Amino acid sequence: MKTAIRWLLIAGLLAASGCSSLGVKPWERDLLAREDMLMNSDALDLAYDEHIYFSKEASSGGQGFAGGGCGCN
Amino acid sequence: MQLKKKNIAGLLSVATCSLLSGQAQSADDWNVDSAILFYSETDRVDAVEPVISGKKDLGDDEILSMKLVFDALTGSSANGAVPSTMVQTFTTPSGGGGGEEGEDEGEGEGGGSYQVAPNTTPLDPTFKDARAAFSMNWDKPVERDRRRNLGFNFSIEHDFTSLGVNGLWQYDSNQKNTSWTWGTNIELDSINPIGGAPEPLTTMAAMSKGSDTETRTVLDLLFGVTQVIDRSSLLQLNFSLSQADGYMTDPYKIVSVVDSVSGEPIRYLYENRPDNRYRQSVFAKYKKMFAGKDIFTASYRYMTDDWGVDSNTFDLTYRFRLGASYYLQPHLRYYQQSAADFYRYFLVDGEAVPGEVSADYRLGEMDATTTGIKFGREIDAQHSWSIRLERYLQTGESSPSEAFGQLTQQDLYPDLEATIVQFNYSFVF
């Protein structure tokens, strides 16, 4: 728990302190606007992977919600 | 029993990236992604899973999306018992036979049991399941720099039903270079094991059944930030909490109780897991475009829970552009987890039975690697297809130090190997 909170704090501080100096102007978004640069491009692949690994391993979530599931098979 | 698919995986990204993309969809058009996946484990489970999802811009950047998933699974699933030098006989979940679980392939007469050959990992050959799942999400700008995404999902199998609602809120700052997201998911599960849920820690032969219906609730919280680094790269960081309460036991899994000298199984107990679980995870994903065309994606997840499971997941892809409309994308994933505190390969006759115990290999210490390749083609602005081939290999400790007697001659954690083939087709209509 403490480790996770520490990570969160670090991430938050980095974001809060560093973000203002990062980024692009609105007219510089040509590459970022491409479909394949979306964080969730290949969404069906991500969903399939989540399903497979959720069925075979003891971890889930991270990018999205962990959810419940019965953990069977 | 098949688990519920996490349709909401990636939902956060949908929200955080929608503003980044700025992509326009034509009103009245549905953007449709369809796919079919074939999953085959060596000597174990086979699955087929078609999916269709559609997304429509309702105007003013208000987006409605829906998804329908089916899957059918057949084959054999490890029941948790250890191998023996002798033939082993197990009771099927349906007990007296005639249940929905499928045909009894054992040699025992009258159904309700199956046999496993000597020196063989016990697999329940009666595994068969089908599932349908539907989800819907409504993503809407609520102010100039805020979005709201509300959704629900429903999943049903013959022994499992799940209903979930979720909400995500996003706030953009720093000229929309930073997106802050927070959300919650509430899920209600109903588990109806074939023949009723076994009384935990009772012997398999006694077939002592408890309740017909068990329930579970899950509450997830998620906090995330996505940052544009520069013109060609993005970084996403998420922190998640998940609290599950209720029936977490796998009603079809057992644990062998072995003789304290020979190591031969004497009887089998139904497993029992804690009735709550608290998980935390940190997830980071980085994406960068090289030379204005190739895309490198790397992600890492650390997860820890109060069952004693800690895991690390690394995932890498690199998309090589081959001309204007083709791409080739190798994939490498590495996963490692520690065992749950109550995981045991077996129990020894004469020792006190722990209050919580499971021999489910998925709760054991393991490594897993996935190697894959994907080939895709964008036919035009509205049509594309791709094919993905992957190989999954899971390995654990086959000869743990606690093994003795005949157990030292057995593979107590056999490798699990699976082949995955997937076709995608996307179109607009």
Side-chain angles (χ1 to χ4, degrees):
Chain A
M1 180 66 184
K2 285 181 179 174
T3 307
I5 290 175
R6 195 176 302 135
W7 272 101
L8 182 64
L9 286 172
I10 291 170
L13 285 171
L14 281 175
S17 62
C19 288
S20 57
S21 61
L22 296 174
V24 297
K25 299 297 180 190
W27 57 88
E28 296 176 314
R29 290 178 176 268
D30 53 335
L31 300 180
L32 297 171
R34 281 174 44 165
E35 181 85 21
D36 48 8
M37 275 301 281
L38 295 178
M39 276 296 185
N40 73 322
S41 65
D42 305 317
L44 291 187
D45 294 9
L46 293 176
Y48 274 134
D49 285 352
E50 185 73 9
H51 188 202
I52 291 168
Y53 300 130
F54 189 77
S55 304
K56 298 296 158 189
E57 300 166 350
S59 307
S60 61
Q63 185 156 8
F65 297 118
C70 67
C72 304
N73 311 339
Chain B
M1 187 186 293
Q2 162 67 356
L3 53 86
K4 188 181 88 64
K5 184 164 187 170
K6 302 275 87 59
N7 290 326
I8 47 184
L11 193 62
L12 175 68
S13 303
V14 176
T16 54
C17 292
S18 55
L19 281 169
L20 297 171
S21 71
Q23 62 179 2
Q25 296 177 24
S26 306
D28 303 327
D29 283 344
W30 279 91
N31 285 1
V32 180
D33 292 326
S34 63
I36 185 164
L37 175 128
F38 300 92
Y39 173 91
S40 179
E41 294 174 1
T42 306
D43 301 327
R44 296 199 194 181
V45 173
D46 288 306
V48 180
E49 185 171 327
V51 174
I52 185 162
S53 74
K55 194 162 64 173
K56 181 179 174 63
D57 191 339
L58 302 176
D60 297 326
D61 208 20
E62 183 177 343
I63 296 167
L64 180 70
S65 56
M66 290 187 274
K67 185 175 178 181
L68 189 59
V69 183
F70 293 99
D71 59 38
L73 297 96
T74 56
S76 301
S77 182
N79 65 13
V82 294
S84 164
T85 59
M86 295 176 280
V87 171
Q88 299 190 80
T89 302
F90 300 95
T91 308
T92 58
S94 54
E100 298 174 75
E101 185 75 353
E103 316 84 57
D104 179 10
E105 298 178 9
E107 295 175 12
E109 290 188 1
S113 68
Y114 58 94
Q115 293 188 325
V116 172
N119 306 312
T120 305
T121 300
L123 302 176
D124 180 349
T126 64
F127 178 65
K128 181 183 280 188
D129 207 349
R131 179 181 69 108
F134 176 74
S135 63
M136 181 181 280
N137 279 87
W138 176 43
D139 187 48
K140 178 180 169 59
V142 285
E143 287 180 41
R144 193 173 58 85
D145 51 4
R146 289 165 208 267
R147 294 185 76 84
R148 181 185 64 209
N149 188 314
L150 301 176
F152 84 93
N153 51 280
F154 178 72
S155 170
I156 187 164
E157 303 161 38
H158 66 277
D159 56 359
F160 184 70
T161 306
S162 178
L163 176 65
V165 292
N166 54 76
L168 276 171
W169 290 263
Q170 175 192 329
Y171 168 66
D172 298 312
S173 62
N174 185 22
Q175 292 190 309
K176 297 191 176 182
N177 285 299
T178 309
S179 296
W180 305 88
T181 309
W182 57 98
T184 186
N185 174 57
I186 300 168
E187 181 180 309
L188 305 174
D189 297 337
S190 171
I191 303 116
N192 305 89
I194 298 158
E199 205 57 60
L201 307 177
T202 57
T203 59
M204 191 179 208
M207 292 298 292
S208 175
K209 295 293 185 181
S211 162
D212 286 341
T213 301
E214 300 283 354
T215 60
R216 175 175 56 220
T217 59
V218 185
L219 173 66
D220 290 307
L221 297 174
L222 190 150
F223 308 92
V225 57
T226 302
Q227 175 65 44
V228 174
I229 307 293
D230 56 30
R231 187 168 162 251
S232 62
S233 61
L234 289 164
L235 177 66
Q236 180 184 30
L237 291 172
N238 289 347
F239 174 66
S240 309
L241 302 171
S242 177
Q243 173 71 45
D245 293 285
Y247 189 76
M248 232 77 72
T249 296
D250 186 329
Y252 308 127
K253 292 283 190 275
I254 55 174
V255 185
S256 301
V257 179
V258 303
D259 182 83
S260 60
V261 178
S262 67
E264 292 289 357
I266 298 173
R267 59 186 177 276
Y268 313 98
L269 303 183
Y270 285 106
E271 69 155 48
N272 189 36
R273 304 184 189 188
D275 58 8
N276 54 66
R277 186 181 186 190
Y278 178 58
R279 286 177 282 181
Q280 300 173 76
S281 67
V282 177
F283 174 83
K285 187 172 187 178
Y286 175 70
K287 202 156 185 173
K288 181 167 179 63
M289 183 178 286
F290 289 99
K293 57 186 183 69
D294 295 344
I295 297 173
F296 169 72
T297 306
S299 70
Y300 168 73
R301 176 187 63 188
Y302 172 71
M303 194 217 72
T304 184
D305 70 11
D306 60 359
W307 284 8
V309 178
D310 295 328
S311 72
N312 295 283
T313 311
F314 301 88
D315 197 289
L316 299 172
T317 61
Y318 195 93
R319 179 171 294 196
F320 294 95
R321 277 272 156 203
L322 308 172
S325 60
Y326 295 91
Y327 65 85
L328 194 65
Q329 179 173 293
H331 176 213
L332 181 63
R333 177 183 185 270
Y334 175 73
Y335 175 82
Q336 171 271 326
Q337 75 177 36
S338 62
D341 297 334
F342 53 88
Y343 174 79
R344 296 285 297 272
Y345 290 89
F346 51 83
L347 295 173
V348 181
D349 188 35
E351 74 169 335
V353 176
E356 288 152 354
V357 63
S358 174
D360 188 339
Y361 68 96
R362 292 164 300 185
L363 293 172
E365 184 176 340
M366 68 155 96
D367 297 337
T369 54
T370 306
T371 49
I373 188 97
K374 180 177 180 179
F375 177 76
R377 184 185 178 205
E378 285 135 12
I379 300 166
D380 55 39
Q382 297 190 335
H383 300 81
S384 64
W385 61 264
S386 63
I387 178 170
R388 186 166 75 131
L389 302 172
E390 303 226 298
R391 176 178 171 274
Y392 177 67
L393 178 64
Q394 189 180 90
T395 58
E397 179 54 72
S398 297
S399 305
S401 57
E402 54 263 52
F404 61 90
Q406 68 93 20
L407 296 169
T408 59
Q409 309 303 314
Q410 306 290 1
D411 184 351
L412 299 186
Y413 201 109
D415 292 352
L416 185 150
E417 190 171 357
T419 303
I420 299 154
V421 181
Q422 179 192 330
F423 300 94
N424 290 39
Y425 182 61
S426 299
F427 57 96
V428 175
F429 81 91

